[in-house]
Amino acid sequence: MQLNDAAVVDTFAEAFAMWGARVVITAETAEWARAAAQSMTGFATSIIGCKCEAGIETELPPGETPDGRPGVSVLLFSTSAEGLGKRLVERVGQCVMTCPSTACYSGLAGTETVVVGGQLRYFGDKYQMSKLLDGRRLWRVPVMDGEFLVDDRFGIQPAVGGGNILILGRDQAVTLRAAEAAVSAMRRIPGAILPFPGGVVRSGSKPKSRYSFLFASTNDAYCPTLRSVAPESQIPEGVGCVLEIVIDGLDLAAVETAMRRGMHAAAAGGAMQISAGNYGGGLGQFQIALRSLLEGVGAGR
Amino acid sequence: MTLDLTLHTTPAVPLEADVLTPARLAGLTALEAAKLIVVHGNQPAELGEFFRVAGGTDGEIHLSGDLARVKLIGTGMTEGRIVVHGPVGMHLGAAMAGGEIVIEGNAGDWVGPEMTGGRIVVRGNAGHMVGAAYRGGHVGMRGGEIVIFGNAGNEVGSGMRRGLIAIGGDAGDFTGVNLLAGTIVVLGQLGWRTGAGMRRGTILAMHAAELLPTFSFACTYRPVILRLYLPYLRRLGLPVSDAQVQGSYQRWCGDAIELNRGEILLLETGETAPAA
């Protein structure tokens, strides 16, 4: 299948069941809200090394936040509900509560919840106050610039992690441009984030290693420098660079929509080939076929 | 279809009508509802001796007439809705646990005493002891919301432990006396001795007030929590301004004769507190 000048490989992205949360951070200015969000989503590229994956979903105007101040919506994903709760407590506590003027709210109204503010309140050393408004419990933790306001519980929901596309291009410059175009299109999808730097990862991995102490190693099949030596190389002649975009979403539809828009944008941006990473279908709970997506099949919008 | 009760005979003495709840009237025909027993003074009487009953209940009851002598409407209510087109007497929504009561007029003393849930809205004024503990009790309102559009009398939220009371007009003396927790908002003027004996909780007011000497000034700041509370009250219809939502508030801590963990937040307006 061709998409502009790009060949779309008949393969699928293998994605995984995860748990996701939406965190709404507000502050006196959009800059401070963004600072907290950037801190919270730092070092959250891959479950493999970071225990969670996170990214900024969107910036929110004052009219769309609980307290009428500028805000940022962050999505955070982990492999279990318990793990997600722990990561939320760590990151809200260390990255949001510490940031001047911020407040932090749950952005999901799911029936499943984890305690966040109810843990962070202990920082208040018994000076904290709780408020129950319209069925919602919040904690006011005294801090040096006033109070840190945080929801007692955060809604979480089953989610999908590890959706991906691989963009193969002639050289690094062209492939970067294609990837940037794809990221720009994919970042507009509500409920989806791209957890890697700038939305792009160049060190794609496979779930095995020739070293016994490692459980993941470089995806040699897509390393152009190994085209002639890696036995399972998938690099066509003329390809000098491969970049991957990983997508985590609050549901499968968000992931698929992002993948579809990303493929179109990458193809229009100069990609030679578009593929996806998988492990043979034996690890992930979701298989997202690229060609079916482009043909309009799937849960995506 | 709502159940409509119209007062046709004004009671000569107070009428205790704790049968007027959606749950108690559920499934009754108008005729059956009219047979329910109320207490007129110290004598039992049938509801129909005072009210003309029409329609059938779908969880909503409408009452019309001057019910200033009708007490205990909505007592122990757990669900549904009561709308009163006119004034009501004392003990409205006593120990109420759920549902909503809307009064399109004034209410007597003891609105929502010891209630645990639901919402009471009074479009006019309310008497003393809104959301309070009964005499001899230590704990008043334990949950739910009371919204008074007009003025309220003394001891609003006495012994209150949880919930929200909002007064659109002025409040009398001893607002939040012995407050255990919860939130009281007064958009008008406070009376004397606000928060006396309060342990925890919040009293928020939009005008300067002379506070007891057992309250200590902490700082002036902009509490983010008010950016949730005040717009919420505005959505309920209270006249909350943007200046109040975004304003700076003096934080006073007290009462030092108790835990000293309560707070009184006063909007910084530049005005001088009226002399006590």
Side-chain angles (χ1 to χ4, degrees):
Chain A
M1 174 187 267
Q2 285 293 126
L3 197 59
N4 295 22
D5 292 332
V8 179
V9 178
D10 186 12
T11 188
F12 61 90
E14 192 166 353
F16 297 84
M18 298 182 87
W19 284 86
R22 176 182 280 131
V23 176
V24 175
I25 301 166
T26 65
E28 280 301 300
T29 66
E31 288 73 23
W32 282 115
R34 202 178 301 127
Q38 286 169 343
S39 177
M40 185 179 175
T41 56
F43 190 57
T45 53
S46 171
I47 286 287
I48 294 173
C50 310
K51 299 182 183 175
C52 68
E53 298 178 7
I56 291 175
E57 181 186 28
T58 189
E59 299 206 2
L60 300 168
E64 294 180 16
T65 64
D67 59 25
R69 302 188 301 169
V72 175
S73 170
V74 164
L75 300 183
L76 193 138
F77 299 88
S78 192
T79 50
S80 68
E82 183 188 7
L84 185 60
K86 288 179 179 174
R87 304 292 87 77
L88 282 168
V89 170
E90 289 168 356
R91 287 172 181 260
V92 173
Q94 296 300 314
C95 307
V96 185
M97 184 165 70
T98 55
C99 183
S101 82
T102 58
C104 194
Y105 309 100
S106 170
L108 290 180
T111 52
E112 296 270 355
T113 60
V114 291
V115 178
V116 178
Q119 291 286 327
L120 295 174
R121 69 183 168 116
Y122 295 110
F123 184 72
D125 201 22
K126 295 194 175 181
Y127 291 108
Q128 70 272 20
M129 297 179 82
S130 92
K131 287 291 164 193
L132 186 64
L133 179 64
D134 199 21
R136 175 183 201 170
R137 181 170 296 286
L138 298 117
W139 287 97
R140 297 164 61 193
V141 181
V143 288
M144 294 192 299
D145 76 345
E147 291 169 350
F148 174 57
L149 184 66
V150 58
D151 266 322
D152 180 60
R153 306 185 75 93
F154 278 56
I156 61 171
Q157 69 177 53
V160 178
N164 67 84
I165 58 173
L166 292 167
I167 301 168
L168 290 72
R170 186 183 68 239
D171 56 31
Q172 190 181 59
V174 171
T175 315
L176 268 176
R177 277 200 299 275
E180 287 163 4
V183 165
S184 180
M186 298 164 87
R187 279 203 166 136
R188 300 190 191 120
I189 311 300
I193 52 110
L194 316 176
F196 282 95
V200 183
V201 52
R202 63 137 177 220
S203 58
S205 61
K206 63 179 183 294
K208 58 185 177 182
S209 167
R210 289 191 281 186
Y211 295 103
S212 59
F213 55 87
L214 274 183
F215 57 86
S217 62
T218 190
N219 193 357
D220 50 77
Y222 285 96
C223 292
T225 55
L226 303 180
R227 190 170 86 89
S228 60
V229 295
E232 297 175 8
S233 179
Q234 300 294 315
I235 301 293
E237 189 175 347
V239 167
C241 178
V242 181
L243 295 174
E244 181 176 2
I245 299 177
V246 173
I247 309 105
D248 296 331
L250 289 176
D251 55 33
L252 183 61
V255 174
E256 290 186 340
T257 303
M259 286 175 61
R260 183 186 298 116
R261 294 195 189 174
M263 284 192 285
H264 280 285
M272 287 176 62
Q273 189 184 90
I274 296 172
S275 187
N278 63 62
Y279 315 99
L283 288 180
Q285 291 78 12
F286 304 95
Q287 296 180 13
I288 307 170
L290 300 188
R291 291 186 176 181
S292 298
L293 264 188
L294 292 173
E295 289 162 356
V297 180
R301 297 173 285 267
Chain B
M1 188 178 188
T2 60
L3 189 68
D4 295 306
L5 293 95
T6 306
L7 193 74
H8 60 69
T9 301
T10 303
V13 292
L15 185 72
E16 295 185 1
D18 57 358
V19 297
L20 293 177
T21 69
R24 188 70 182 82
L25 294 168
L28 300 184
T29 64
L31 198 59
E32 290 168 334
K35 295 284 187 188
L36 290 174
I37 299 300
V38 293
V39 179
H40 184 220
N42 59 2
Q43 296 296 316
E46 291 187 357
L47 191 63
E49 293 177 37
F50 301 94
F51 288 91
R52 184 170 57 252
V53 186
T57 180
D58 61 353
E60 184 160 329
I61 304 167
H62 283 243
L63 300 160
S64 303
D66 182 354
L67 309 187
R69 286 185 184 159
V70 180
K71 304 195 296 188
L72 293 164
I73 294 170
T75 295
M77 179 170 159
T78 56
E79 60 186 357
R81 192 163 186 261
I82 298 175
V83 180
V84 181
H85 305 280
V88 294
M90 295 195 291
H91 307 288
L92 174 74
M96 175 179 176
E100 184 180 44
I101 301 175
V102 178
I103 309 300
E104 304 286 357
N106 297 330
D109 297 340
W110 301 99
V111 170
E114 301 186 3
M115 71 184 282
T116 59
R119 179 189 294 154
I120 298 175
V121 177
V122 177
R123 303 275 182 207
N125 301 322
H128 303 303
M129 315 304 297
V130 171
Y134 276 121
R135 298 304 187 204
H138 296 292
V139 183
M141 180 176 177
R142 293 169 213 196
E145 300 171 357
I146 301 176
V147 181
I148 311 292
F149 278 67
N151 302 323
N154 298 334
E155 298 193 43
V156 170
S158 167
M160 176 181 181
R161 171 166 281 170
R162 195 176 295 123
L164 170 64
I165 299 176
I167 311 295
D170 300 337
D173 299 339
F174 285 100
T175 295
V177 61
N178 297 329
L179 189 70
L180 300 173
T183 303
I184 300 173
V185 180
V186 178
L187 298 184
Q189 300 282 353
L190 290 167
W192 293 0
R193 299 180 178 86
T194 297
M198 72 188 287
R199 295 166 70 86
R200 291 188 171 89
T202 301
I203 300 172
L204 169 67
M206 301 302 166
H207 294 279
E210 183 166 318
L211 301 179
L212 290 167
T214 45
F215 281 79
S216 53
F217 175 70
C219 70
T220 298
Y221 78 128
R222 299 168 68 200
V224 178
I225 188 73
L226 299 188
R227 290 168 174 262
L228 276 71
Y229 267 85
L230 293 174
Y232 179 74
L233 295 178
R234 183 153 58 188
R235 287 194 293 277
L236 293 178
L238 286 179
V240 174
S241 69
D242 288 344
Q244 291 168 342
V245 174
Q246 295 161 11
S248 294
Y249 288 79
Q250 297 176 0
R251 185 173 200 262
W252 294 77
C253 300
D255 187 338
I257 62 167
E258 284 291 344
L259 270 183
N260 210 16
R261 293 287 168 82
E263 64 176 359
I264 298 177
L265 300 173
L266 301 176
L267 179 65
E268 186 99 319
T269 60
E271 64 187 336
T272 307

